[in-house]
Amino acid sequence: MFAVIKTGGRQYRVVPDDVLEIGKIAGDVGTIVQLGEVLLVGGESPVLGTPTVAGASVAAEVLQHKRGPKVIAFKKRRRKNSRRKRGYRDEITVLRITEILTNDNKPTIGPRPKREKPIVTEPADGDDEAPKAAKKKATPKKAVAKAAAKPRAKPDAKKAAAKKSDKK
């Protein structure tokens, strides 16, 4: 069974377990929302709406709210030193279609539980794993550079004599 729904000025063909991105709609993440504008319910005997199918709706779970790709509108008038750059990003809601309802039915499938990451427990005995090698600390570069530096050379005798004569 499939349905054609209208939301945000666009039409979508949906089947259960479809994931689709539509314009932003109200609803918290994890809740079930009902989309009421169903234009067609298909299956063995398709039902066309005039303009919508009476009593039909589509239940969907809100997976996330996000922003779409950046769209840049750049206008330029040549030889006039005139240009304008505007950009925007659409607000998007990601939905998972849970079921297609007819005859004014209510959704029977609730929100899916979130998958939790499995917790990896370390073995109680330390014998199962090899001990980790200790990290070696690198010697600081400054200490190495100071040790390698040469002692300062004494000034020439002529320069020293010139300095002494200047002081008198």
Side-chain angles (χ1 to χ4, degrees):
M1 178 181 253
F2 72 92
V4 176
I5 61 170
K6 181 180 175 184
T7 179
R10 296 182 181 179
Q11 297 177 5
Y12 301 92
R13 181 187 183 275
V14 296
V15 296
D17 291 329
D18 263 358
V19 175
L20 58 124
E21 296 180 350
I22 63 171
K24 187 172 183 177
I25 59 173
D28 293 330
V29 175
T31 59
I32 299 291
V33 295
Q34 277 190 287
L35 305 170
E37 284 194 82
V38 178
L39 304 175
L40 170 84
V41 176
E44 293 177 12
S45 59
V47 179
L48 290 172
T50 54
T52 60
V53 178
S57 64
V58 172
E61 177 186 3
V62 178
L63 297 180
Q64 79 181 89
H65 295 290
K66 66 179 188 175
R67 298 179 76 194
K70 188 180 292 186
V71 178
I72 296 172
F74 184 77
K75 295 183 179 181
K76 181 179 179 180
R77 292 167 195 92
R78 61 189 188 145
R79 298 186 304 272
K80 304 282 191 263
N81 196 21
S82 171
R83 56 182 176 238
R84 183 174 74 194
K85 183 177 178 182
R86 267 183 89 233
Y88 71 95
R89 295 177 70 183
D90 283 332
E91 300 287 328
I92 292 176
T93 300
V94 180
L95 298 176
R96 178 185 293 121
I97 305 299
T98 54
E99 56 188 331
I100 298 169
L101 307 166
T102 55
N103 302 329
D104 292 325
N105 293 336
K106 299 291 180 193
T108 58
I109 301 172
R112 297 183 184 187
K114 293 184 179 179
R115 294 182 185 168
E116 294 183 13
K117 294 181 180 178
I119 299 171
V120 179
T121 57
E122 295 183 15
D125 299 333
D127 300 337
D128 293 341
E129 290 187 28
K132 295 181 180 178
K135 292 184 179 179
K136 294 182 180 179
K137 292 186 179 180
T139 57
K141 292 182 179 180
K142 290 182 179 179
V144 174
K146 287 182 180 178
K150 296 179 181 178
R152 291 181 69 183
K154 294 183 180 180
D156 293 338
K158 290 180 182 179
K159 289 182 183 177
K163 286 183 182 179
K164 286 182 183 179
S165 64
D166 290 337
K167 289 181 182 178
K168 291 181 181 179

